[in-house]
Amino acid sequence: MARPDYLICLECESEVEDFTWRDGEIRRVTCEVCGNTDTDAFSLPEDYEQGMVDEDEDTKEDEDEDEDEEAEYLDDYEDEEDEEEQ
């Protein structure tokens, strides 16, 4: 794999251009913004973008579930009110 132009720091989401790359792996890197030096806490730009798409899909699914739960709660609440009125 060719050396990428930059990496993404997963701690602060900054682009990092100063790093050592050898045999398709990050060998040394330091984020100038947050000071992160953990090579496992950096991502290739294309991997980072894919992760963001996956995260957006997960967030959308969670929001849909929350809306369904809220609708069920409101239905139950309305049923209870109807019973109290009778």
Side-chain angles (χ1 to χ4, degrees), residues 5-9 12-18 30-33 42 45:
D5 294 331
Y6 64 95
L7 301 172
I8 304 290
C9 173
C12 68
E13 300 180 347
S14 297
E15 292 182 10
V16 178
E17 295 176 353
D18 184 25
T30 301
C31 178
E32 294 180 13
V33 176
F42 287 84

Side-chain angles (χ1 to χ4, degrees), residues 55 57-68:
E55 194 172 291
E57 290 172 0
D58 290 344
T59 300
K60 176 65 175 144
E61 289 173 10
D62 290 345
E63 289 172 355
D64 290 344
E65 288 175 12
D66 290 346
E67 289 173 4
D68 292 344

Side-chain angles (χ1 to χ4, degrees), residues 35-80:
N36 179 19
T37 59
D38 180 4
T39 58
D40 292 333
F42 287 84
S43 177
L44 298 173
E46 56 271 16
D47 294 342
Y48 179 77
E49 290 171 7
Q50 182 59 44
M52 294 302 291
V53 168
D54 293 345
E55 194 172 291
D56 287 345
E57 290 172 0
D58 290 344
T59 300
K60 176 65 175 144
E61 289 173 10
D62 290 345
E63 289 172 355
D64 290 344
E65 288 175 12
D66 290 346
E67 289 173 4
D68 292 344
E69 289 175 6
E70 183 177 349
E72 282 181 32
Y73 173 78
L74 291 174
D75 287 344
D76 290 345
Y77 181 74
E78 290 171 358
D79 290 343
E80 287 176 15

Side-chain angles (χ1 to χ4, degrees), residues 20-34:
T20 303
W21 180 268
R22 190 177 328 126
D23 300 326
E25 295 181 355
I26 305 165
R27 299 297 179 152
R28 183 197 57 80
V29 61
T30 301
C31 178
E32 294 180 13
V33 176
C34 71

